[in-house]
């Protein structure tokens, strides 16, 4: 066991520089751009929301609700990502209708040469929406949207350490993410539930409510996260 652990360390140290170079020659891992690599687990705010075990059970599409809202991203050196999110969305025209959204997704990511990140889901992502004012106030649905982030930067925060900034497709920032661990804390990087492979079934489920709950809606909510957190806390005062 000791031997295999030592071997893993040796292999990891051999693999690391090669991977970083092959992966993306234009992303410079220096202090001017990125204070460290993106690999590992990152979490916003109080770090109550984390990827890995203890947040989502993809096999039966259930969640263990964290104490507070937040978002967490993990990136592995071999190209896998995982995202956990929990947030409240307030409705301007119906201030008492605060919608809760909790979601989980994983898949493969690419650090593109122009500094963007593309994330392709594996198909077993899902989210639960609790909307006290909707006809169906609580439902769970498949979440299988490709996500595109315009850019990313890693800074060093004087008190919290490494801090990752992700910029969404429209340039709006994700809440600052702090490094929780340098090795990613993730569920197995395989499909964790039977998902329809028949393209007609997949297409039908993916387009069940494209306007109401499609990528724009979800991205919009993510973009508004800071605002929502602010307005939610104002509302609670
Ligand atoms: C879902 O799976 C988790 C993990 O196996 C288990 O702890 C939980 O009880 C299950 N929940 C339901 C409603 O089946
Ligand atoms: C806000 O609430 C109104 C009335 O219930 C609803 O029609 C509208 O779709 C809601 N907007 C959002 C963004 O949820
Ligand atoms: C950046 O690269 C990705 C992947 O090649 C591409 O999809 C995207 O359109 C590019 N963005 C810009 C602004 O060129
Ligand atoms: C999930 O989305 C990816 C990327 O668009 C696609 O390749 C895959 O077939 C989808 N899976 C399901 C089960 O819809």
């Amino acid at each position: 066991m000791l031997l295999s652990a030592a071997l893993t360390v040796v292999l990891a140290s051999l693999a690391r520089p090669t991977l970083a170079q092959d992966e993306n020659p234009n992303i410079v891992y220096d202090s001017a751009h990125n204070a460290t690599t993106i690999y590992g687990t990152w979490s916003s705010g109080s770090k109550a929301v984390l990827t890995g075990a203890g947040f989502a059970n993809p096999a039966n599409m259930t969640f263990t609700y964290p104490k507070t809202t937040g978002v967490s991203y993990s990136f592995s050196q071999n190209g896998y990502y995982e995202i956990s999110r929990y947030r409240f969305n307030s409705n301007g025209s119906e201030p008492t209708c605060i919608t809760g959204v909790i979601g989980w997704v994983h898949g493969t990511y690419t650090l593109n040469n122009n500094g963007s990140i593309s994330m392709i889901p594996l198909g077993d992502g899902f989210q639960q929406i609790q909307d006290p004012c909707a006809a169906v106030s609580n439902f769970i649905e498949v979440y299988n949207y490709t996500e595109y982030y315009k850019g990313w930067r890693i800074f060093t925060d004087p008190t919290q350490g490494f801090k990752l900034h992700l910029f969404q497709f429209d340039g709006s920032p994700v809440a600052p993410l702090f490094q929780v661990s340098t090795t990613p804390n993730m569920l197995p990087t395989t499909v964790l539930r039977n998902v329809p492979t028949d393209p007609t079934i997949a297409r039908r489920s993916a387009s069940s409510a494209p306007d109401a709950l499609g990528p724009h809606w979800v991205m919009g909510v993510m973009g508004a996260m800071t605002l929502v957190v602010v307005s939610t806390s104002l509302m609670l005062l």
Side-chain angles (χ1 to χ4, degrees):
M1 221 178 109
L2 209 63
L3 193 68
S4 72
L7 194 64
T8 309
V9 170
V10 170
L11 287 177
S13 64
L14 287 176
R16 201 184 179 107
T18 326
L19 238 173
Q21 276 168 13
D22 288 356
E23 208 169 55
N24 200 321
N26 292 342
I27 292 187
V28 184
Y29 297 111
D30 65 14
S31 55
H33 296 82
N34 293 299
T36 187
T37 66
I38 201 168
Y39 310 131
T41 293
W42 304 83
S43 178
S44 68
S46 60
K47 301 172 190 157
V49 175
L50 292 168
T51 56
F55 180 80
N57 303 305
N60 60 16
M61 291 176 92
T62 60
F63 290 98
T64 304
Y65 276 73
K67 282 201 203 84
T68 58
T69 55
V71 58
S72 177
Y73 287 72
S74 279
F75 299 95
S76 76
Q77 286 197 37
N78 62 346
Y80 289 96
Y81 74 96
E82 181 175 324
I83 308 173
S84 295
R85 300 182 177 108
Y86 177 37
R87 61 183 177 265
F88 291 115
N89 174 32
S90 64
N91 182 328
S93 61
E94 295 285 336
T96 54
C97 297
I98 296 172
T99 306
V101 183
I102 189 165
W104 176 90
V105 64
H106 70 170
T108 57
Y109 73 95
T110 307
L111 300 178
N112 301 317
N113 286 330
N114 59 15
S116 62
I117 310 180
S118 303
M119 302 186 194
I120 313 288
L122 283 178
D124 52 356
F126 63 108
Q127 63 183 10
Q128 180 171 18
I129 299 180
Q130 291 182 302
D131 181 350
C133 305
V136 180
S137 62
N138 186 352
F139 63 95
I140 295 171
E141 63 178 3
V142 167
Y143 177 91
N144 193 46
Y145 294 109
T146 295
E147 297 188 29
Y148 176 79
Y149 294 82
K150 244 180 148 161
W152 53 284
R153 287 285 180 271
I154 299 171
F155 300 100
T156 307
D157 182 89
T159 54
Q160 302 236 53
F162 293 125
K163 183 169 70 161
L164 169 64
H165 288 260
L166 288 172
F167 300 93
Q168 295 171 83
F169 72 103
D170 61 354
S172 62
V174 171
L177 299 159
F178 297 97
Q179 192 174 59
V180 174
S181 60
T182 52
T183 49
N185 182 19
M186 304 167 94
L187 292 180
T189 54
T190 52
V191 179
L192 299 174
R193 181 179 68 251
N194 286 331
V195 291
T197 44
D198 178 348
T200 58
I201 295 171
R203 207 176 304 133
R204 206 183 307 137
S205 67
S207 63
S208 56
D211 293 329
L213 296 170
H216 296 297
W217 185 84
V218 174
M219 294 296 191
V221 170
M222 282 179 60
M225 191 157 73
T226 320
L227 256 177
V228 167
V229 168
V230 169
S231 56
T232 307
S233 35
L234 282 178
M235 236 175 273
L236 295 175
L237 285 177

